[in-house]
Amino acid sequence: MSKHSRVARGVAVTALTVAGAMSVTVAPATAASTPVNGALASHKALGRLGALTDLVVERLRVSDDVAAAKFGTDSPIDDPAREQQVLDQVRQQAGTLGLDPESAAAFFRDQITASKVVQSGLFARWTAHPDEAPTTRPDLGQIRTRLDRLTTDLLGQLKATEEVRGSRVPCTVQLALATGSATVLERLDALHRQALGTAVHSVCTDEAVTEA
């Protein structure tokens, strides 16, 4: 392991420890923490990748609504046509912003996979515990409009964070700080923590994570 990699790992662990320690100071859930328009009241993840991580978590929260819209219907969790439409849109918008279209598409494949993690987990939970299943069905068309907005916002943050994401040590440290603090501030359960790990897999570019 290179010296830079050891430094990155050590600082990342420290960042996660600090974020974990925040849990003892976070106030109990209040009405302000309840969903508003399908997303939790805004919390700000820490660090230079905080805004990007906030959007990733918001998209995961929207996945809850996608699951509620599909559960008990013929709508499958896998929707290849819709997924291809999203990725084509991403490539087009990424090129306009000066981002690498394939790197942007890889990031959004992770978002799609993370959404499926959430949907599958919720389907399993609601099937095993019908009393926990949603009693209302959100409109899938409106949800997709929100997802389209998040696509634009996420691409903007990918562009804004190009410098830090392309540098190995800062990216590793900042991503650990952002995801660790978001996990605490948003009180993510095990399912959404797993999905967040999937969603941020491609945040750091190849140059940032390849061993020397």
Side-chain angles (χ1 to χ4, degrees), residues 56 60 106-118 179 191-203:
V56 169
L60 292 178
F107 172 80
F108 276 90
R109 280 194 200 94
D110 291 342
Q111 308 316 300
I112 291 169
T113 301
S115 178
K116 293 178 185 179
V117 169
V118 172
T179 55
L191 174 62
H192 290 81
R193 290 197 301 270
Q194 177 188 355
L196 178 59
T198 298
V200 300
H201 179 74
S202 298
V203 166

Side-chain angles (χ1 to χ4, degrees), residues 153-197:
D153 292 346
L154 282 162
L155 282 166
Q157 276 301 311
L158 288 180
K159 181 63 178 178
T161 57
E162 269 190 307
E163 181 178 357
V164 66
R165 291 188 302 105
S167 183
R168 181 188 307 166
V169 173
C171 186
T172 303
V173 173
Q174 293 296 325
L175 185 60
L177 181 61
T179 55
S181 58
T183 295
V184 173
L185 292 169
E186 295 286 358
R187 296 178 172 85
L188 299 184
D189 61 14
L191 174 62
H192 290 81
R193 290 197 301 270
Q194 177 188 355
L196 178 59

Side-chain angles (χ1 to χ4, degrees), residues 19-20 22-23 25-29 32-33 40-47 50 54 57 61 177-188:
M22 292 171 57
S23 62
T25 61
V26 173
S33 300
L40 288 189
S42 178
H43 289 300
K44 299 299 182 184
L46 301 180
D54 284 338
V57 172
R61 295 297 193 188
L177 181 61
T179 55
S181 58
T183 295
V184 173
L185 292 169
E186 295 286 358
R187 296 178 172 85
L188 299 184

Side-chain angles (χ1 to χ4, degrees), residues 47-65:
R48 295 171 64 187
L49 294 174
L52 176 63
T53 302
D54 284 338
L55 289 171
V56 169
V57 172
E58 183 179 351
R59 197 181 194 282
L60 292 178
R61 295 297 193 188
V62 175
S63 298
D64 292 16
D65 287 344

Side-chain angles (χ1 to χ4, degrees), residues 4 26 33 39 60 88 123 126 130-131 133 147 150 160 188:
H4 281 176
V26 173
S33 300
L60 292 178
D88 288 345
F123 271 35
W126 296 336
D131 57 307
L147 288 172
L150 281 167
L188 299 184

Side-chain angles (χ1 to χ4, degrees), residues 23-102:
S23 62
V24 301
T25 61
V26 173
T30 65
S33 300
T34 57
V36 178
N37 293 328
L40 288 189
S42 178
H43 289 300
K44 299 299 182 184
L46 301 180
R48 295 171 64 187
L49 294 174
L52 176 63
T53 302
D54 284 338
L55 289 171
V56 169
V57 172
E58 183 179 351
R59 197 181 194 282
L60 292 178
R61 295 297 193 188
V62 175
S63 298
D64 292 16
D65 287 344
V66 174
K70 291 181 177 181
F71 187 70
T73 74
D74 293 332
S75 297
I77 291 176
D78 285 300
D79 188 348
R82 167 66 179 171
E83 293 169 16
Q84 189 60 53
Q85 180 183 15
V86 170
L87 294 177
D88 288 345
Q89 174 190 356
V90 163
R91 290 186 179 95
Q92 181 178 8
Q93 289 184 249
T96 300
L97 290 172
L99 290 165
D100 177 65
E102 293 308 316

